[in-house]
Amino acid sequence: MNIKGKNFYSSLDFSHKEIHYLIDLAIKLKSGKTKKSLSGKTLAMLFFNPSIRTRMSFIVGMQKLGGLAVDLPIKDNYSFEYEKGTVMDKGTIEHVKDAARVLSRYCDAIAIRNSELITSSAQSVEVSNWETLKKDKIIKSFMEYAAIPVINMESNVFHPCQGLGDAMTIKEKLGSTQGKKYVLTWGYHPKALPMATPNSQILSACDLGMDVVVAHPPGFELDTAIVKKMAMRAKKSGGSLDFSYSMKDAFQKSSVVCAKSWGALKYYGNWAKEKEMRDMFKNWIVTEEKMKMTDEAIFMHCLPVRRNVKVTDEVLDSKYSVILDEAENRMWAQMALLSEIMGGGKI
Ligand code: CP
């Protein structure tokens, strides 16, 4: 398997075989077979949004592999220019063209979190429209100019590291995944959240050859172009992809339930209307009663989670909840990825 030097913008950048190779490598690393394969290598991390899990799992993962992760403090005190040929006489400090090429001289990979939808404030972020956001201008600009691999730590469209960690967790817990039922259910949240995580989680379950069912209320449909790609991956791995407007129907006979919330694409930029619609679906909460309808499914959530809003305490703290393993596995999955794309050699 040679994926040295490749970007990881989405799991779609890698073949089905490459994804499975990374999952197996992550499981091997977790079993104690870790070498200092990235000794002398450096990862630059640019977080334009807050993070606990992604930030820590990359820093600790790089340390375990003998390398260094540098978390550049750019969020509130540094502004990049992205337009080509601009006269930079306004507020921006540095063109991405220069920043990406300079970081490429010091480092061996760049990891970026940039989502125009993530906020730590009580309100959703006001954005214009999905057609603009789905271009993922910031991370794509770094990819254009960097001479080293760029890793997506969550953009507007994808969160592939969450997807990879989830795939590892499912394989670790279920063993064989082929033909087993995976449910990704929308859950109520007071804010309109990004859909990068569900996009990547669904893609991962499709790569595992699972029978994937996405449950959400009417109006919360995913992007049709991305759904087509999910369906293609599902077909390639011998699985399937379906959608349901009923949480209870979807849960029947499932082996995995993963909860996530996201905003309605058609109301991007019109949160008042969005809120009016989403507030009709406060009953979209994962409860023990609903989990009893499954085939003793494990429960997954990427965290952070709104307890007793999207999922009850009973479910989150139950024996079948794997949320902590899921968070831990982000680190092992990313270590497998880093080691391979930064050319760490055989583990
Ligand atoms: N799941 C996840 O990406 O968590 P953070 O936002 O804390 O990184």
Side-chain angles (χ1 to χ4, degrees):
M1 193 65 46
N2 187 3
I3 54 173
K4 185 175 175 181
K6 281 188 84 167
N7 292 327
F8 191 51
Y9 168 69
S10 149
S11 58
L12 294 164
D13 296 335
F14 288 1
S15 70
H16 186 246
K17 207 170 159 190
E18 287 165 342
I19 293 290
H20 279 264
Y21 173 81
L22 289 175
I23 297 167
D24 291 340
L25 179 58
I27 292 172
K28 192 170 147 190
L29 288 171
K30 190 176 180 181
S31 74
K33 296 190 174 64
T34 308
K35 287 197 190 135
K36 303 283 182 199
S37 60
L38 293 184
S39 174
K41 306 250 180 183
T42 305
L43 173 71
M45 301 198 303
L46 280 73
F47 283 94
F48 292 84
N49 311 99
S51 163
I52 286 185
R53 280 144 289 271
T54 307
R55 192 188 301 274
M56 282 310 293
S57 56
F58 268 104
I59 292 172
V60 178
M62 277 299 289
Q63 185 194 38
K64 282 186 188 296
L65 293 169
L68 173 72
V70 179
D71 183 2
L72 288 158
I74 47 129
K75 191 174 168 282
D76 294 317
N77 55 10
Y78 213 86
S79 55
F80 295 106
E81 179 61 53
Y82 297 95
E83 298 307 324
K84 290 180 179 163
T86 317
V87 178
M88 288 173 57
D89 58 355
K90 301 277 181 334
T92 52
I93 296 170
E94 178 166 14
H95 202 284
V96 61
K97 184 188 217 173
D98 301 315
R101 291 187 301 170
V102 167
L103 289 175
S104 301
R105 297 284 178 104
Y106 302 136
C107 304
D108 302 280
I110 305 173
I112 300 173
R113 168 169 286 194
N114 183 269
S115 166
E116 276 125 292
L117 294 154
I118 300 176
T119 174
S120 48
S121 83
Q123 300 299 319
S124 300
V125 185
E126 279 289 343
V127 289
S128 53
N129 63 63
W130 177 238
E131 291 312 309
T132 306
L133 289 189
K134 72 193 277 191
K135 292 187 179 138
D136 266 342
K137 188 175 77 181
I138 291 174
I139 188 161
K140 293 268 179 78
S141 299
F142 274 94
M143 284 162 63
E144 182 181 348
Y145 295 113
I148 53 178
V150 173
I151 300 167
N152 181 355
M153 297 195 293
E154 189 172 354
S155 67
N156 291 323
V157 189
F158 295 113
H159 192 355
C161 297
Q162 184 69 55
L164 195 61
D166 277 23
M168 175 193 173
T169 307
I170 296 169
K171 205 162 174 183
E172 183 184 50
K173 298 292 172 193
L174 266 55
S176 163
T177 54
Q178 197 72 38
K180 290 189 179 155
K181 187 173 176 184
Y182 170 96
V183 177
L184 188 293
T185 182
W186 186 91
Y188 175 76
H189 191 288
K191 290 196 294 189
L193 299 183
M195 60 172 51
T197 299
N199 281 340
S200 289
Q201 289 172 319
I202 296 163
L203 276 168
S204 286
C206 290
D207 276 338
L208 292 176
M210 303 188 81
D211 289 331
V212 178
V213 177
V214 181
H216 62 77
F220 289 88
E221 284 73 18
L222 300 169
D223 180 273
T224 46
I226 299 171
V227 168
K228 267 190 197 156
K229 289 180 182 157
M230 290 167 181
M232 276 166 55
R233 293 292 277 222
K235 195 173 170 198
K236 199 166 173 62
S237 62
S240 61
L241 176 65
D242 279 304
F243 291 85
S244 172
Y245 286 148
S246 163
M247 206 181 204
K248 288 181 185 169
D249 287 352
F251 276 32
Q252 308 291 331
K253 299 195 173 102
S254 58
S255 299
V256 179
V257 169
C258 180
K260 189 68 192 86
S261 195
W262 63 88
L265 292 181
K266 63 182 172 184
Y267 291 132
Y268 271 37
N270 187 354
W271 297 135
K273 186 93 184 148
E274 216 270 5
K275 186 167 166 46
E276 194 184 306
M277 184 169 78
R278 77 171 37 242
D279 282 355
M280 293 191 302
F281 301 113
K282 286 189 177 173
N283 59 338
W284 279 68
I285 175 170
V286 181
T287 61
E288 198 143 73
E289 191 195 348
K290 287 174 191 156
M291 287 300 292
K292 280 186 185 142
M293 297 171 187
T294 69
D295 187 10
E296 298 186 348
I298 56 168
F299 175 79
M300 303 183 73
H301 191 287
C302 63
L303 305 179
V305 64
R306 295 275 184 136
R307 282 178 172 260
N308 304 310
V309 174
K310 202 195 297 176
V311 190
T312 61
D313 279 342
E314 288 78 12
V315 172
L316 287 164
D317 301 327
S318 68
K319 281 198 195 112
Y320 53 82
S321 167
V322 298
I323 56 172
L324 299 180
D325 296 309
E326 187 182 357
E328 179 189 336
N329 287 345
R330 285 287 306 278
M331 180 180 75
W332 301 110
Q334 287 156 197
M335 284 167 67
L337 174 79
L338 291 164
S339 189
E340 291 298 311
I341 67 170
M342 291 167 90
K346 274 254 165 290
I347 291 187

